[in-house]
Amino acid sequence: MEDKKKIFGVKSIRTKLILIMIGMLGFTLAAIWFMNRIFLPAYYQHSKVSMLEKCYGSTNSIINNDSQYKSGESSTLSDESTLNLEILSENNTSNVYVFRLNNFFGKVYYQYDYPSENVITQYQKEDVIDKTKDYVIGIEDTQSFAVKDKKRQLMSLTDNYSVYKVMDERIGSYYIELFGKLDSGAFVYVSTNYQSMAENIGIFNSFLLYVGIGVIVFGVVIMVFIGNNFTKPIRQLTKIAQKMADFDFEIRYPVKSDDEIGALGSSINTLSENLEEKISELKTANNELKKDIEKKTQIDEMRKEFLSNVSHELKTPIALIQGYAEGLQDNINDDTESREFYCEVIIDEADKMNKMVKKLLTLNQIEFGNNQVSFEHFDIVQVLRSVINSALLLAEQKQAVITMDEHEPVYVWADEYMIEEVVTNYVSNAINHVDGEKKINVSLVKHDGVVRISVFNTGKCIPEDELDKIWIKFYKVDKARTREYGGSGIGLSIVKAIMESMNQKFGVINHDDGVEFWFELDTQN
């Protein structure tokens, strides 16, 4: 609702444009009305005076160009001059009279050259005499065209003519007249109607009001249409900006023009792409930071756990070594057999501690990337047989049998030393936990560019809820049995670290009669 108020309210650009247009039209109409009221009468009057002055000049030129009339060869104007004067009179909506004054026995007579004597009517003659008699008297008395009369208002005065605005009391309206002397010696009288400007201005302003209302209504409709087209891309860009504020950078503005809106849309699109890229980089960096924090936390936890587990695992052998060493020192048993037994226990426990420390160092190097993986192309079958041969003696002591089918050489890509460590841990783990039929089987299965190596031993299954825990350092499913063969719970952790360092799969599967440990290696480059 608030967005709609912004779109359709005073804050809307479209509404502002409409109000500005209405204001400009209203101001223009008011200005026109004021100009008409104040300046139009004076301009109209000036135009009329200028028109009469042009009529004088044109009449003088027409008479001067009539060579026969000017030289006195003819007492009347030529047909061409008469036609030109008629055209001049009609085009300027004025009455033009050209005449000469003759004085017979002290009385002035009018001799009309235009209109000619046979054309001008008696009414026209009387009207011309009535309107020019003051000028004629003035000519005879003062040789000037000045007329002192309250009914006449002087508009223009030169040596050749004078222009007056005259009130015609008979019809109750004004007219403008020019009386002057031509170069040929003839006189010219030109008159034109001067309408009441107050009435004309009122009519014009009324018409202007109606036209203005129509223009404003039509302009509002046009501006609504233009405003919609103008503000539509702006509203679209606003929505895009809002989406960007909500971290949604999928939407893009369709640039269809090369104007400012198109340039703004292109900039918004570029900004959206850059923001999306930068935010993606920030998220990646933030994710890496979280991983680093989690890794640091894990390292701290691993350190604490490591110290706790090592302390626990070393406590028993150290106590045994210390006890038996003190027994030797105190000569508890003087016979040779007892001393040898004490020494064997000390050596055995020290050997276990040594092996555990070595395994911990190996695991530490692998987990922290200090032991770099060196990929080689080698025969995994040969590695398996070598490990099996080394474990045969220990298997015989457990009365277990290790079997492996005959295989052609199978070449894999991996770190040979590390893979040998994995196989050794799997086989040793199988020997230590074999039971029942006491069978151990090592097998290979190739599929989809990899080979799966499995070590199966008969015996008890691992509880399902502990299958994921056996890969944790120092974790022991059967602690009594592990203590029996001297296990530390580190071997499978080493397997996990090695396989993860080479990005290979590994795992454990429970069967009805035993447990299968497996891992996979690439056979293709």
Side-chain angles (χ1 to χ4, degrees):
M1 183 64 70
E2 187 174 345
D3 292 338
K4 289 184 177 179
K5 287 182 179 178
K6 290 182 179 179
I7 293 174
F8 298 104
V10 179
K11 293 183 179 180
S12 169
I13 294 179
R14 180 180 64 180
T15 305
K16 290 181 180 178
L17 287 175
I18 294 173
L19 293 177
I20 290 172
M21 188 216 66
I22 294 174
M24 291 180 65
L25 287 177
F27 175 78
T28 302
L29 292 174
I32 293 174
W33 179 88
F34 179 79
M35 297 290 285
N36 288 344
R37 193 77 177 176
I38 303 301
F39 298 105
L40 186 58
Y43 179 76
Y44 180 77
Q45 182 174 282
H46 174 74
S47 298
K48 285 290 186 179
V49 173
S50 298
M51 183 267 292
L52 292 181
E53 291 176 340
K54 289 181 181 179
C55 283
Y56 171 82
S58 299
T59 301
N60 194 32
S61 176
I62 291 172
I63 298 300
N64 289 336
N65 290 334
D66 194 336
S67 57
Q68 293 183 354
Y69 176 82
K70 186 176 181 182
S71 63
E73 297 178 6
S74 173
S75 59
T76 60
L77 293 172
S78 64
D79 293 339
E80 181 180 359
S81 297
T82 301
L83 177 61
N84 289 334
L85 289 172
E86 184 177 355
I87 293 172
L88 178 66
S89 177
E90 294 295 330
N91 288 343
N92 291 279
T93 63
S94 60
N95 297 317
V96 180
Y97 297 95
V98 179
F99 57 89
R100 286 172 288 172
L101 298 176
N102 295 323
N103 193 340
F104 295 102
F105 304 106
K107 189 174 182 179
V108 177
Y109 292 92
Y110 287 74
Q111 180 181 343
Y112 295 94
D113 296 329
Y114 177 82
S116 60
E117 292 286 351
N118 58 349
V119 173
I120 190 170
T121 64
Q122 184 63 31
Y123 173 78
Q124 289 176 317
K125 289 181 180 181
E126 293 175 357
D127 186 57
V128 171
I129 291 172
D130 180 62
K131 292 179 178 179
T132 61
K133 61 184 178 180
D134 292 333
Y135 299 109
V136 172
I137 294 173
I139 291 171
E140 292 180 341
D141 292 344
T142 62
Q143 294 298 314
S144 73
F145 301 142
V147 176
K148 295 180 181 179
D149 194 334
K150 294 182 180 179
K151 298 179 182 179
R152 289 182 172 87
Q153 179 183 351
L154 180 64
M155 307 298 296
S156 178
L157 177 66
T158 67
D159 293 337
N160 297 322
Y161 60 83
S162 60
V163 181
Y164 286 88
K165 182 168 74 171
V166 183
M167 176 66 180
D168 191 341
E169 294 180 348
R170 183 174 61 84
I171 60 176
S173 65
Y174 286 94
Y175 64 91
I176 298 179
E177 61 183 11
L178 179 146
F179 183 82
K181 189 174 184 180
L182 301 176
D183 295 340
S184 63
F187 293 92
V188 60
Y189 175 75
V190 185
S191 66
T192 182
N193 289 332
Y194 184 80
Q195 300 295 334
S196 175
M197 289 305 299
E199 181 181 357
N200 290 342
I201 291 173
I203 294 173
F204 181 77
N205 286 340
S206 298
F207 176 75
L208 185 65
L209 176 63
Y210 295 122
V211 171
I213 293 173
V215 169
I216 289 176
V217 173
F218 180 73
V220 168
V221 174
I222 294 298
M223 285 305 298
V224 168
F225 176 76
I226 295 175
N228 284 335
N229 289 338
F230 182 75
T231 57
K232 182 179 179 181
I234 297 178
R235 293 198 301 270
Q236 192 172 359
L237 287 171
T238 302
K239 291 181 181 178
I240 294 175
Q242 186 60 48
K243 291 282 188 181
M244 292 171 59
D246 296 333
F247 300 101
D248 182 2
F249 303 102
E250 295 298 325
I251 190 170
R252 292 289 185 273
Y253 177 75
V255 179
K256 299 179 181 178
S257 59
D258 295 331
D259 55 8
E260 289 80 358
I261 296 294
L264 178 59
S266 298
S267 300
I268 289 289
N269 291 341
T270 304
L271 177 61
S272 178
E273 293 173 1
N274 292 339
L275 282 177
E276 183 177 15
E277 181 181 352
K278 296 302 179 184
I279 289 178
S280 177
E281 292 177 358
L282 285 174
K283 285 185 176 180
T284 302
N286 186 52
N287 187 53
E288 293 297 327
L289 181 60
K290 286 182 178 179
K291 288 183 178 179
D292 291 341
I293 294 174
E294 291 176 359
K295 186 176 180 181
K296 182 179 181 299
T297 304
Q298 290 176 357
I299 290 173
D300 290 339
E301 293 297 326
M302 289 169 60
R303 178 178 58 81
K304 294 177 183 178
E305 182 183 1
F306 176 79
L307 292 174
S308 175
N309 291 331
V310 169
S311 300
H312 177 74
E313 293 295 329
L314 292 179
K315 181 173 64 176
T316 300
I318 289 175
L320 288 173
I321 292 173
Q322 183 179 4
Y324 280 92
E326 289 175 353
L328 287 176
Q329 186 179 23
D330 294 339
N331 295 318
I332 294 176
N333 294 312
D334 295 334
D335 59 292
T336 305
E337 184 178 352
S338 295
R339 287 197 300 272
E340 289 180 356
F341 173 75
Y342 277 39
C343 290
E344 287 177 0
V345 171
I346 292 172
I347 293 171
D348 184 54
E349 293 300 325
D351 183 59
K352 289 179 181 179
M353 288 172 45
N354 184 42
K355 289 180 179 178
M356 184 176 67
V357 171
K358 287 182 178 179
K359 287 184 177 181
L360 285 173
L361 291 174
T362 301
L363 179 60
N364 183 69
Q365 289 178 344
I366 296 172
E367 285 183 336
F368 289 93
N370 296 328
N371 192 7
Q372 187 174 1
V373 178
S374 177
F375 282 89
E376 302 171 279
H377 200 217
F378 62 92
D379 182 10
I380 187 63
V381 175
Q382 183 179 354
V383 172
L384 294 175
R385 293 200 178 280
S386 175
V387 173
I388 292 172
N389 291 333
S390 300
L392 286 176
L393 181 60
L394 183 60
E396 289 177 0
Q397 292 176 356
K398 293 281 187 175
Q399 297 179 352
V401 178
I402 303 177
T403 61
M404 176 179 172
D405 296 335
E406 291 295 329
H407 285 280
E408 296 291 332
V410 178
Y411 287 91
V412 296
W413 288 94
D415 189 308
E416 185 175 357
Y417 172 76
M418 289 186 177
I419 295 302
E420 185 177 356
E421 182 74 16
V422 171
V423 176
T424 301
N425 276 286
Y426 273 0
V427 172
S428 298
N429 189 68
I431 293 172
N432 291 327
H433 291 85
V434 69
D435 203 353
E437 297 181 2
K438 294 191 175 182
K439 291 181 179 181
I440 300 172
N441 179 256
V442 179
S443 61
L444 290 86
V445 178
K446 294 176 64 176
H447 64 93
D448 300 329
V450 298
V451 60
R452 172 174 285 197
I453 297 95
S454 300
V455 178
F456 170 81
N457 67 274
T458 59
K460 294 181 180 180
C461 294
I462 301 173
E464 292 294 331
D465 59 343
E466 297 188 12
L467 285 176
D468 294 333
K469 299 177 181 178
I470 61 175
W471 310 100
I472 301 174
K473 290 189 290 292
F474 301 109
Y475 187 82
K476 302 167 185 177
V477 177
D478 187 349
K479 295 182 179 179
R481 186 164 187 175
T482 304
R483 191 180 302 113
E484 180 182 338
Y485 66 81
S488 61
I490 301 175
L492 293 180
S493 299
I494 294 176
V495 171
K496 178 175 181 281
I498 290 174
M499 299 313 298
E500 287 180 347
S501 69
M502 291 188 290
N503 296 315
Q504 297 295 339
K505 297 179 180 180
F506 64 97
V508 59
I509 304 172
N510 276 328
H511 294 278
D512 294 338
D513 57 346
V515 179
E516 174 189 355
F517 283 86
W518 61 270
F519 66 93
E520 293 181 348
L521 295 175
D522 290 328
T523 58
Q524 297 179 351
N525 187 2

